[in-house]
Amino acid sequence: MRKKIIAGNWKMFKTVQEATQLVVGLKRELTDYVAVDIVVCPTFVNLESVSDLLVGHNIKLGAQNLFWEDEGAFTGEVSGPMLKAVGVEYVIIGHSERRQFFHETNETVNKRLKAALKHGLKPIVCVGENLSERESGRTFDVVKNHVTGSLAGLTKEDMAEVVLAYEPVWAIGTGKTASSAQAQEVHRFIRGLLAGMFGQDTADAVRIQYGGSVKPENTAELTSQPDIDGALVGGASLKVDSFTAIVKNAR
Ligand code: PEP
């Protein structure tokens, strides 16, 4: 039985004061709520203060990216050991905004993913088609390319640590959610790909989140699909009430 996992991607939002306020509110609502795994992913500069507030808490800390080298002359980058040192457990890799605006490719996603695993971080690996790819009937090709390329060279043991997030780019931040049937179809397809790559047992154990305009009102319907194991939430993770309701509505 796969435990649901709800992760909030705070993107480039929240000053340290705002981030602190949000975490204090989430702790008020979600302390001891262990029916689903809960993760929040602030910006790099807010990781440490959020981490201090979450010591020993059931809400876990995630980062939004990492670089594949441990240290060196890589201006602007942050490494796995640096994330571990401030208490990070999860890290989002290959978000569509990284692929779109910062030229992430399957190859760089794969390098970041291997670095995360090497340092004991749990990666949340994002895949998904954009609108023109969906409209031209290429959804399954694109998703297959992202899954096989991003996960290349991983072992079954590695996959025990990995969470996947199917995020149709056309549904991110647009208010357009994939219908539960559309999402389930792709999630089932991804699980089939995982079975081919790593065997059925591994495929059955990997959690696959849905992401794209998840709100309190659509969470139960989406997460009650057989292959949808939670949500990666952007906009609605920035407020205590909406994120709490999403966590509590996950089935
Ligand atoms: C995301 O950032 O991963 C996301 C799904 O954003 P939103 O929920 O705002 O669509």
Side-chain angles (χ1 to χ4, degrees):
M1 185 69 175
R2 297 181 297 268
K3 190 174 183 186
K4 303 281 186 215
I5 174 166
I6 304 291
N9 172 14
W10 294 0
K11 310 196 187 197
M12 198 179 73
F13 290 100
K14 306 286 180 194
T15 62
V16 66
Q17 289 83 3
E18 291 164 344
T20 301
Q21 233 179 352
L22 178 52
V23 176
V24 168
L26 291 175
K27 283 175 70 174
R28 192 180 58 233
E29 300 295 332
L30 294 169
T31 292
D32 294 334
Y33 193 86
V34 292
V36 302
D37 287 339
I38 309 167
V39 184
V40 293
C41 305
T43 59
F44 287 139
V45 291
N46 291 337
L47 285 172
E48 192 166 5
S49 29
V50 173
S51 180
D52 289 346
L53 289 168
L54 291 180
V55 172
H57 202 270
N58 53 294
I59 300 178
K60 301 302 178 194
L61 184 64
Q64 298 176 19
N65 193 16
L66 87 167
F67 193 57
W68 51 85
E69 297 290 348
D70 293 357
E71 62 179 9
F74 303 104
T75 303
E77 295 295 323
V78 172
S79 72
M82 293 169 188
L83 297 180
K84 282 295 278 190
V86 292
V88 169
E89 272 185 52
Y90 289 84
V91 58
I92 299 172
I93 298 178
H95 190 278
S96 65
E97 287 151 15
R98 301 289 320 168
R99 291 181 188 258
Q100 189 181 349
F101 302 126
F102 302 99
H103 313 295
E104 289 275 359
T105 61
N106 286 337
E107 288 68 36
T108 59
V109 168
N110 185 253
K111 286 167 97 165
R112 292 178 203 276
L113 173 52
K114 287 177 176 162
L117 291 167
K118 176 175 144 199
H119 294 294
L121 292 159
K122 297 184 176 89
I124 298 177
V125 182
C126 304
V127 302
E129 80 290 358
N130 64 30
L131 186 59
S132 70
E133 290 163 343
R134 175 159 282 261
E135 286 179 344
S136 59
R138 289 186 291 137
T139 295
F140 293 106
D141 287 346
V142 171
V143 169
K144 181 175 181 186
N145 176 274
H146 283 178
V147 171
T148 54
S150 302
L151 304 182
L154 265 62
T155 64
K156 285 177 190 231
E157 291 70 35
D158 292 332
M159 288 307 293
E161 304 303 319
V162 173
V163 175
L164 286 176
Y166 168 58
E167 298 208 305
V169 181
W170 49 271
I172 296 180
T174 58
K176 284 186 203 164
T177 320
S179 69
S180 53
Q182 278 174 321
Q184 165 56 25
E185 186 184 31
V186 180
H187 280 239
R188 193 182 48 210
F189 173 72
I190 292 172
R191 208 173 296 288
L193 290 174
L194 296 177
M197 292 171 78
F198 302 104
Q200 193 62 51
D201 288 353
T202 300
D204 286 341
V206 172
R207 294 184 292 183
I208 310 174
Q209 297 175 306
Y210 168 79
S213 297
V214 172
K215 307 182 266 287
E217 305 77 54
N218 58 26
T219 303
E221 166 76 16
L222 285 161
T223 57
S224 58
Q225 300 303 308
D227 289 293
I228 300 184
D229 306 310
L232 181 55
V233 186
S237 72
L238 297 171
K239 293 210 172 96
V240 173
D241 290 357
S242 47
F243 191 65
T244 299
I246 288 170
V247 167
K248 293 193 172 172
N249 288 349
R251 296 281 185 273

